[in-house]
Amino acid sequence: RTITGQLVTVDGDRIGTQFPLAPARSWPRLAMSRSTLLLLYSESPIRGGLWAATLSSAGAVLARKPLLPEDAPGPDIRGFEVASNGAGFAVVVSRTDGDQLLMLDGNGDLRTLHALTSSQGNSQIASDGRGYLVATAVNDRTVVRSVDANGNAGAPVTLSEPGVPTSVVWNGS
């Protein structure tokens, strides 16, 4: 299997045919900064590592690089999500021993890696155009924390209702 792309007009009409983007097999995720379209993917589920590909507006792959190589030591990956604040990207990686926050610059290059609280599922991330909000399921509760553009996490806040976050949107408030 291969991840493919398709260009479309603003009205949703197809332009040309589908084209290959990456030799990935799992979990493709897209985000766009002011100037870069970033595709994250895994070569194979669980131990496949985490790869980033930067794409042109025409869908051409400009660069591919491993963020978490397949042979890197560490626990299995359960999932990952990406968001952009316009200037860079933040990726939350859910692993069997806890979550990691990868901060990438506007070109998709890894700047910093931070440990987050352990979760019971896949964490979600959103941006308000400045910082980020990470939502994680912990002990049957949803825990959220803000993260600034440099990857500094605020104090976790436990929401009163049990549940697992399926998506998160944040306006900065």
Side-chain angles (χ1 to χ4, degrees):
R1 292 176 29 195
T2 300
I3 297 172
T4 59
Q6 173 72 57
L7 297 178
V8 296
T9 67
V10 294
D11 296 321
D13 298 322
R14 292 180 185 192
I15 301 172
T17 60
Q18 290 186 357
F19 48 90
L21 291 175
R25 309 305 187 277
S26 340
W27 300 329
R29 302 289 187 264
L30 283 171
M32 185 165 191
S33 70
R34 288 184 197 102
S35 60
T36 303
L37 181 60
L38 183 73
L39 170 66
L40 295 182
Y41 60 93
S42 177
E43 290 277 331
S44 63
I46 310 297
R47 296 297 297 170
L50 179 60
W51 288 76
T54 51
L55 310 173
S56 73
S57 60
V61 176
L62 303 173
R64 248 186 221 116
K65 51 200 145 212
L67 294 178
L68 297 172
E70 182 176 350
D71 58 356
D76 293 344
I77 295 173
R78 291 192 297 207
F80 52 86
E81 297 295 335
V82 61
S84 174
N85 67 355
F89 302 93
V91 180
V92 62
V93 179
S94 298
R95 302 187 89 146
T96 53
D97 73 336
D99 295 344
Q100 293 177 311
L101 180 69
L102 287 67
M103 301 303 295
L104 313 179
D105 65 18
N107 296 317
D109 294 319
L110 182 63
R111 289 186 335 192
T112 59
L113 189 143
H114 306 272
L116 292 175
T117 187
S118 61
S119 69
Q120 297 171 336
N122 291 342
S123 291
Q124 303 292 314
I125 190 164
S127 176
D128 66 349
R130 294 181 306 275
Y132 301 93
L133 185 73
V134 176
T136 306
V138 178
N139 298 327
D140 294 327
R141 299 279 184 220
T142 299
V143 176
V144 297
R145 61 174 44 193
S146 63
V147 177
D148 71 18
N150 295 315
N152 300 309
V157 175
T158 301
L159 302 180
S160 60
E161 296 297 320
V164 176
T166 56
S167 66
V168 60
V169 177
W170 187 43
N171 69 3
S173 299

